[in-house]
Amino acid sequence: MLQLFTDPSEQSAPAGLEVKPGNDPIDNTTAILMREELENLLGRFENAVIASASGSTPINLQIASAEPKNPVTTIARHATSSIPSRTQNAIALAQQAIKQFPELVAAQNWVAARRLWLDARQKLWENYPTDGERSGAEIRAVWLDRGTIVAARGEAGLAQIFDRLADAGINTVFFETVNAGYTIYPSRVAPSQNPLTVGWDPLAAAVKLAKARGMELHAWVWVFAIANQRHNALLRQPDSYLGPVLSAYPEWANLDNQGRTWHENDRKAYLDPANREVRSYLLRLVGEIAHNYQVDGIHLDYIRYPFQDANRNFNFGYGTASRTQFRDLTGVDPISLTPRDGVLWQQWTQFRSDQVTSFVRDVRQLLSTNYPNVILSAAVFPHPETERIAKIQQHWEVWARQGYLDLLVPMTYSLDTNRLQRITQPLTGPQQLGLTLIAPSVKLLDIPNVVAIDQIQALRDLPSGGYSIFAVETIDSNLQGFLRRTQNNGGNHSPIIPYRQPLKAASDRYLALKREWSFLLANDQLWIRESQLNSFRNQAEVLAQALQNLAESPNPQALSRAQRELATFQSQFNGYMTLHAREKPYQVQSWQNRLASLDMLLRYGAHRLN
């Protein structure tokens, strides 16, 4: 049976398929999943090796490269002084396992198949590259949670946290600012500052500390979730306490179809997104943060309805304002509707979805009009679109296509890196993202550090703008060391951040890709037919020049040329990589993804230019 590691004694074991030694049969489905996991892990491993080893390589695609007579290739066969022998051996063992595993399964030699697979995977985990600067502009974000802020006790304690984040090369901090109905700062809009931070202003301190370290500070705001029983326990309040906002304005509550305020599973209470007073209050709160504090961004969380299950007759959205507005619109009280009502139920679902979307639009308009340099992002769920709209009425594809957001941060949490990639890939297409950047996320809780490192690599191999980490409190000293060694950039904390300088980021990321190709060419590890090599070099250089010109002088003509050259290069890329893809399909796919991320940056840059 396949499942994620759950044995608490396996603290050092990476998450993934649970495969144990033995002679149990391996069915076809299991064999396919095992081979896929090992192939993808090897692909990520090799990409990390190349990124680590190529950082100081001169960008030179003119290095001679001969078409191999027998392109059965390994990095171990073309050993270089910059790649340790143990790394080469781990790659060679994994390649051997990928080749021999199906043969052993076909021969029903289950013992040998399992042993070879386990040995190969373990060698990759043990030798995963954890050094070498990772070049190329990217969003490196982290959520700084309320608990960590409270534990800091003051600016001096908070400074230590920001020192660690700067040392790790983090460039974006989502700072928990509004939580469970409380602001973390003294507010004239909200009824109460969080009692756990009374006596100081963490937001003011955080803005100052971030700016001094060349980092961006984005105020993380709980939007429609307004009370939390877990937070009540910290404040020694009864479970029934609805927090300062709903206690003052109980008519603002989002009710379920039984008239209840509290969500039975997440133990939170929510605001009614259709209530005009609610919307006005939330917009004034965002305006207060943007006006009084020099935040670089607003990060929306709980920008949705509570989770529901219509099949269990468990639905939310029945506050007084919602029911009244929907009745005025359709002549029907939604409390009487069920999914069996077909078109009317769809109207009710759409009505609720529209409330969330229009609120995101209103926040965008507020910021664009008054604080145009403030970045707007949102933490969203990665569930399939139809399912997500039915369950939480969060239609973020519309927000992205309409350009309401600068940055989409899907909570792509998974214990298994292969699953993380499967979840994330469908979210990154131009039809989904439209005019928005994306920085998917890694949740550190319950995964070993090597899996976190592997998941960050997985997100770099997808068409993303970077990654987000949840959360600061779970970054231990070992992971801190990895981030410092690979992201510190010699202490330079004024990086190119894609949402801030998308056109420069596109050029910088493409140079990182060219550097890796130069490294591979120099070590006879990039296989292109001799008849195509000059064309590849020329087209790659033309694109590099177009992106550089655009970065140096942003204008519509330069943008159009860069987009045209990128599209041309993408259309020819598969042809150039025919030989290489035979042996390194994952690697070629990851390069295609990174070219697609350039297209994303140019679309977003075009939107910003306008």
Side-chain angles (χ1 to χ4, degrees):
M1 183 177 69
L2 301 178
Q3 60 186 46
L4 296 175
F5 281 117
T6 57
D7 184 351
S9 68
E10 297 284 353
Q11 293 297 319
S12 62
L17 299 179
E18 182 180 9
V19 177
K20 296 180 179 179
N23 198 34
D24 291 341
I26 302 174
D27 60 53
N28 288 338
T29 300
T30 303
I32 291 170
L33 290 173
M34 290 174 68
R35 192 167 192 267
E36 179 188 71
E37 173 166 321
L38 194 57
E39 287 175 337
N40 288 349
L41 174 58
L42 175 60
R44 296 189 297 269
F45 183 96
E46 289 186 303
N47 279 358
V49 169
I50 294 166
S52 174
S54 65
S56 59
T57 301
I59 301 176
N60 179 15
L61 296 181
Q62 300 304 316
I63 298 170
S65 177
E67 179 181 337
K69 295 178 181 178
N70 179 18
V72 178
T73 57
T74 66
I75 289 182
R77 203 183 92 186
H78 299 281
T80 68
S81 59
S82 59
I83 299 177
S85 59
R86 65 180 185 276
T87 302
Q88 299 168 29
N89 292 338
I91 292 171
L93 178 60
Q95 290 176 325
Q96 178 188 359
I98 289 168
K99 180 181 177 181
Q100 294 182 358
F101 177 77
E103 300 169 359
L104 293 171
V105 170
Q108 299 186 5
N109 191 344
W110 318 122
V111 172
R114 290 170 180 274
R115 183 168 56 244
L116 181 61
W117 189 91
L118 286 166
D119 287 349
R121 186 176 70 165
Q122 187 61 32
K123 282 295 182 185
L124 292 175
W125 288 127
E126 289 174 354
N127 293 281
Y128 211 101
T130 59
D131 294 283
E133 191 71 31
R134 306 301 193 258
S135 59
E138 63 183 1
I139 298 159
R140 296 168 174 172
V142 67
W143 281 278
L144 208 173
D145 53 283
R146 181 207 64 236
T148 302
I149 297 166
V150 170
R153 298 182 178 274
E155 185 172 328
L158 204 57
Q160 295 178 17
I161 297 169
F162 277 86
D163 283 341
R164 286 180 56 222
L165 295 177
D167 178 65
I170 298 298
N171 56 37
T172 303
V173 178
F174 301 134
F175 191 81
E176 194 158 20
T177 300
V178 180
N179 168 287
Y182 297 96
T183 54
I184 207 162
Y185 62 90
S187 171
R188 293 187 176 182
V189 174
S192 176
Q193 180 180 2
N194 193 313
L196 300 174
T197 63
V198 168
W200 68 300
D201 187 338
L203 183 56
V207 169
K208 181 176 75 173
L209 293 168
K211 289 187 183 301
R213 290 157 180 79
M215 304 159 69
E216 294 236 342
L217 197 288
H218 297 209
W220 167 14
V221 176
W222 286 30
V223 181
F224 296 124
I226 200 67
N228 184 358
Q229 291 179 346
R230 292 182 179 87
H231 192 261
N232 286 346
L234 295 176
L235 299 181
R236 299 183 179 178
Q237 293 279 5
D239 276 357
S240 59
Y241 179 56
L242 288 169
V245 176
L246 283 184
S247 293
Y249 305 101
E251 69 276 12
W252 289 5
N254 188 344
L255 306 176
D256 74 1
N257 53 335
Q258 303 297 318
R260 297 172 296 192
T261 302
W262 290 104
H263 192 283
E264 63 183 28
N265 294 326
D266 72 11
R267 298 169 60 190
K268 295 181 178 69
Y270 290 75
L271 294 169
D272 180 357
N275 188 302
R276 292 182 177 86
E277 292 181 351
V278 164
R279 297 166 73 96
S280 175
Y281 166 75
L282 293 171
L283 288 171
R284 285 187 289 118
L285 200 58
V286 170
E288 177 182 60
I289 294 167
H291 181 75
N292 292 347
Y293 299 88
Q294 291 182 321
V295 296
D296 299 294
I298 298 291
H299 180 64
L300 306 177
D301 196 6
Y302 290 95
I303 183 69
R304 58 176 177 84
Y305 279 72
F307 268 96
Q308 303 141 65
D309 187 348
N311 294 325
R312 289 199 305 115
N313 192 30
F314 177 58
N315 298 292
F316 268 83
Y318 302 94
T320 302
S322 286
R323 290 176 65 179
T324 299
Q325 290 176 37
F326 189 76
R327 189 187 302 115
D328 291 345
L329 185 67
T330 65
V332 176
D333 187 340
I335 200 72
S336 66
L337 298 175
T338 73
R340 291 189 296 273
D341 290 299
V343 172
L344 275 172
W345 180 261
Q346 292 175 18
Q347 283 184 269
W348 171 232
T349 300
Q350 185 65 48
F351 172 84
R352 290 176 291 168
S353 175
D354 287 346
Q355 305 312 306
V356 181
T357 294
S358 63
F359 182 76
V360 176
R361 180 199 63 207
D362 290 349
V363 176
R364 172 81 276 168
Q365 185 174 352
L366 168 70
L367 296 179
S368 295
T369 301
N370 301 289
Y371 315 99
N373 291 323
V374 174
I375 297 297
L376 183 60
S377 64
V380 300
F381 278 89
H383 298 64
E385 184 174 359
T386 301
E387 175 190 352
R388 184 178 357 102
I389 294 169
K391 289 184 175 180
I392 56 174
Q393 292 79 58
Q394 186 182 72
H395 199 178
W396 54 254
E397 290 86 351
V398 172
W399 318 346
R401 288 194 289 263
Q402 294 297 324
Y404 299 157
L405 296 178
D406 296 286
L407 177 62
L408 192 75
V409 189
M411 294 176 284
T412 46
Y413 306 149
S414 177
L415 301 181
D416 172 29
T417 308
N418 281 350
R419 184 170 182 271
L420 170 73
Q421 288 182 300
R422 288 195 296 270
I423 292 170
T424 307
Q425 181 81 53
L427 313 180
T428 60
Q431 292 302 314
Q432 287 74 30
L433 290 181
L435 304 172
T436 301
L437 302 181
I438 186 169
S441 45
V442 173
K443 186 178 183 180
L444 299 182
L445 190 66
D446 297 328
I447 63 174
N449 282 332
V450 68
V451 176
I453 292 168
D454 187 42
Q455 292 196 359
I456 291 172
Q457 180 62 46
L459 296 181
R460 286 173 170 151
D461 290 346
L462 291 171
S464 74
Y467 66 82
S468 306
I469 290 177
F470 186 85
V472 164
E473 64 177 346
T474 47
I475 299 177
D476 65 18
S477 59
N478 289 330
L479 188 59
Q480 172 80 19
F482 162 76
L483 296 174
R484 180 181 64 254
R485 291 189 301 273
T486 60
Q487 298 186 162
N488 186 272
N489 195 27
N492 175 18
H493 302 304
S494 299
I496 298 170
I497 305 178
Y499 56 72
R500 192 62 69 186
Q501 296 175 293
L503 305 180
K504 287 187 177 180
S507 180
D508 191 66
R509 291 182 76 152
Y510 183 62
L511 288 179
L513 192 52
K514 278 188 66 183
R515 182 174 289 109
E516 293 181 18
W517 291 335
S518 297
F519 171 82
L520 292 173
L521 278 170
N523 291 284
D524 195 18
Q525 296 168 26
L526 180 60
W527 299 282
I528 300 175
R529 298 185 191 280
E530 289 290 351
S531 59
Q532 296 177 305
L533 190 54
N534 284 336
S535 175
F536 169 72
R537 290 166 171 162
N538 293 337
Q539 287 296 329
E541 185 55 39
V542 167
L543 175 57
Q545 192 61 54
L547 290 171
Q548 182 179 341
N549 291 343
L550 175 61
E552 293 174 352
S553 180
N555 61 75
Q557 293 76 24
L559 174 63
S560 178
R561 178 171 180 250
Q563 290 177 314
R564 185 172 62 252
E565 296 299 347
L566 175 59
T568 298
F569 189 67
Q570 286 177 295
S571 69
Q572 297 173 347
F573 190 75
N574 281 346
Y576 294 141
M577 294 295 152
T578 301
L579 280 180
H580 200 80
R582 291 179 186 174
E583 299 299 325
K584 309 286 185 184
Y586 180 93
Q587 195 170 75
V588 172
Q589 181 60 61
S590 70
W591 292 339
Q592 291 171 329
N593 288 339
R594 289 167 69 181
L595 291 172
S597 74
L598 303 184
D599 181 53
M600 173 190 65
L601 288 165
L602 296 185
R603 290 198 312 271
Y604 176 69
H607 179 57
R608 290 287 295 266
L609 276 179
N610 295 332

